[in-house]
Structure formats: structure tokens, C-alpha cells
Amino acid sequence: MSEPVDTTAAQADAAELRLVERLRARDEAAFMEIVDAWGPSMLRLARQFTPSTAVAEEVVQETWLAVLDGIDRFEGRSSLKTWVLRILVNRAKTRGTRERRTVPFASLAGQESEGDFHAVAADRFLTEEAKYPRHWGSPLPRWEAQPERALESAETLALIHDAIDDLPPAQRTVILLRDIEGWDGPQVSNALDITETNQRVLLHRARSKVRAALEADFASAA
Amino acid sequence: MTDHTITEPLPQLPCQDLVEVVTDYLEGALGDVDHQRFEEHLAICEPCVAYVEQIRLTIAATGRAGVQGEALPADLREGIRDAFRDWAG
């Protein structure tokens, strides 16, 4: 059977296969390459579940050991990185509940989806009495019209970082996995053991806040 | 949640409600009726088109905001490498 092949995807698959082969062959350079490439985001992710950076670092180290021990059993049903991060999240969650003695992740996720939320401040909309009730009170700028560099500048990326850091932990974890790591909804809700609806509410709140931070910054720069 | 029968004309979706369901819309999680109302609203509302675009650009920009150029603490990196060498024997 010959099917049309997406060459980019096929090349990525081939590269991934080679990487897995090299790991199985105990290739230290290949291993350290992914440790360096993925390590910082792993540490950041682990930190969301653990009470201290020290514990997060232990989780990262344990995860790599588990990856090595399991590499022969890796079946390639997800990308290698997704598989590694799944192991990390599982371990971080276990350590977190054991050490934190506060709220487990699922409770945080529940709390952070409750209560009133306004993606956009209420005073940006017309009142119930207006001719067009609850419609925008003033036009919104088209960001497409922003110079390209505004959205790609180091300043903007730093601003996004800060906005994400300011989020409560469950919202932060969801946006990290969804929009930075590129996982889909079911992957995230499975890994975090929360419902898809809960995942979506957390994502909604997180993205809305990041957008608002960008908007405030663009407005002050204009 | 909203609940209306299809036989009635669909009530307009106010902008203030649209911004709260934009994630459901992008995730394909809106029901048929709400999805239709969302798109009907976009067809006539410039600011909401701009808003949805801002959300899409936010998502794209967030995707570029990963931890780039950061390095692991040296002792952690060394610990991992030592663990690898033990494993590799």
C-alpha cells in the first residue's frame, strides 16, 4: 500500500526512531542531548507539583532513570518527549502528594475552576440597559496589524513567561502542557487526572489572563 | 448552561458571553446550537473577530515562549549523567 506521506512528519519519525535506537545503544551524547533540550522544561513542570526546587530536581533525576530503565519497552505510541513527560508528571504528582501535605492537584484544579471569572473586565462592555447590551464598549485593535516583531520579540515572550508564572498552579500546569508542550486536551486531562471540562476551564482562564497581559502591554506601548 | 429549542429564533450571543466560550469554541466543545450562535456573532461583530484573533495569536506566542536558552543546574546535570553511566555500565 502506498499512501501519501507527509515528508516532514516522516522525517521527524525517522529522527525519533534513530534517537530511540541510540538511547538503547547506550549512546551518552544522544542521551545528554535530550537531557539538555528537555531538562529545563521538565524541571519547570515538576516544580508545579512539588513543594521545593530540590524535590523537583530529584523528580527530574528519577524520571531519567525510569526512562532509561523503560527505553526498551517504549513502543512509540506517543512521541518520546510526551512519554518522558508523562513519566515525569506521574512521579511529580506522587511526590507532591506525599511531601506537600496540602492539597492534591485535583483539588487545586477544582478550586481554580470555581467562582466567577471574567476573561475580559466587565467595564469593557456596555450595560444591560444599552441598545446593544453587553457588547463591546469600544473597538478592539487587530493584533495582526501589530508589527510582526511585537508578538515575537524577546520582551513579549518574557511577558508571557511572567503572566504564566503569575497564574495559580493548576492553570499554569495546564497552559504549560497545552500551549508550550503542545499536548492535546485528552492527553492533559489524562495525565493530570482531571475531567476534560475541568481541563478546558483551567485552559480558558489561563489563556484569557495571558491575552489580557499582552493587551495591557501593547496598550501601554502604543 | 444555555438551553433553547431549535424552533425558536436563536437569541443573540452578547460579546461578553462570547469571550467566555471562546476556548470551548476553539476546542470544538460547543454544542451545535452554541457553535452556530458563535459563528453568527462573528459574522457581524468586528471586535469579537479581533478578540478571537488575539486569543489565537496569544496561543501561538505562548508556544514560542518555552524555556529556551535555559540550562539545568550543573550538579543536577552531572547527577543525571552519572546515573546514565551506571545504567550503561
Side-chain angles (χ1 to χ4, degrees):
Chain A
M1 267 204 312
S2 79
E3 283 172 21
V5 178
D6 178 338
T7 44
T8 340
Q11 281 165 5
D13 284 354
E16 172 119 341
L17 209 60
R18 275 198 303 278
L19 174 60
V20 173
E21 293 293 308
R22 288 174 70 193
L23 292 177
R24 286 178 177 155
R26 290 159 163 63
D27 181 332
E28 182 176 313
F31 178 69
M32 292 314 290
E33 216 170 278
I34 56 173
V35 168
D36 288 332
W38 303 344
S41 49
M42 288 167 72
L43 194 53
R44 188 181 196 200
L45 198 53
R47 190 67 186 85
Q48 309 308 320
F49 302 88
T50 51
S52 70
T53 308
V55 175
E57 290 189 4
E58 283 174 35
V59 168
V60 170
Q61 169 130 11
E62 286 168 15
T63 299
W64 283 114
L65 264 179
V67 165
L68 293 172
D69 284 336
I71 192 67
D72 285 330
R73 293 188 301 277
F74 173 68
E75 291 174 348
R77 274 183 294 188
S78 63
S79 76
L80 183 66
K81 188 181 185 190
T82 299
W83 181 69
V84 171
L85 293 185
R86 282 294 298 257
I87 297 174
L88 176 92
V89 169
N90 279 331
R91 287 181 171 257
K93 272 199 314 200
T94 310
R95 277 301 284 276
T97 14
R98 207 164 69 213
E99 307 228 3
R100 189 178 241 158
R101 287 198 209 97
T102 54
V103 258
F105 188 85
S107 319
L108 279 181
Q111 288 165 16
E112 290 178 26
S113 341
E114 285 166 5
D116 277 349
F117 177 76
H118 299 289
V120 176
D123 62 12
R124 300 279 297 278
F125 300 97
L126 302 172
T127 62
E128 291 285 355
E129 290 74 38
K131 186 177 173 203
Y132 298 107
R134 307 177 63 227
H135 283 50
W136 291 99
S138 57
L140 249 74
R142 298 296 296 251
W143 284 3
E144 294 266 283
Q146 289 268 346
E148 191 110 323
R149 61 182 180 282
L151 270 161
E152 307 211 337
S153 69
E155 288 83 353
T156 300
L157 298 190
L159 190 88
I160 293 175
H161 258 275
D162 291 347
I164 291 176
D165 282 345
D166 285 344
L167 295 171
Q171 292 176 21
R172 193 191 306 133
T173 305
V174 169
I175 200 171
L176 283 176
L177 289 172
R178 287 297 309 273
D179 292 343
I180 292 189
E181 296 303 333
W183 291 19
D184 64 22
Q187 283 179 316
V188 173
S189 49
N190 283 336
L192 299 179
D193 213 6
I194 56 178
T195 64
E196 289 224 24
T197 309
N198 196 181
Q199 185 270 144
R200 222 162 37 235
V201 172
L202 294 168
L203 178 65
H204 175 66
R205 294 184 174 197
R207 281 179 178 170
S208 301
K209 290 176 194 171
V210 175
R211 186 212 66 90
L214 288 175
E215 179 184 53
D217 183 66
F218 292 160
S220 72
Chain B
M1 289 277 15
T2 48
D3 181 25
H4 27 247
T5 52
I6 309 227
T7 48
E8 288 169 26
L10 296 180
Q12 251 253 56
L13 180 67
C15 309
Q16 199 170 2
D17 291 349
L18 182 139
V19 302
E20 298 302 346
V21 295
V22 64
T23 306
D24 289 349
Y25 172 75
L26 293 175
E27 298 278 289
L30 285 182
D32 291 345
V33 172
D34 288 325
H35 187 89
Q36 190 186 335
R37 288 173 78 207
F38 193 102
E39 298 206 320
E40 280 172 6
H41 183 103
L42 280 191
I44 56 163
C45 183
E46 267 304 303
C48 280
V49 170
Y51 186 83
V52 174
E53 181 187 281
Q54 289 184 2
I55 289 286
R56 289 187 195 276
L57 290 169
T58 298
I59 296 166
T62 303
R64 292 189 290 269
V67 273
Q68 282 149 357
E70 281 180 38
L72 281 180
D75 50 343
L76 174 60
R77 188 178 185 280
E78 241 165 76
I80 295 170
R81 200 190 50 207
D82 291 346
F84 176 88
R85 289 178 178 170
D86 284 346
W87 173 81

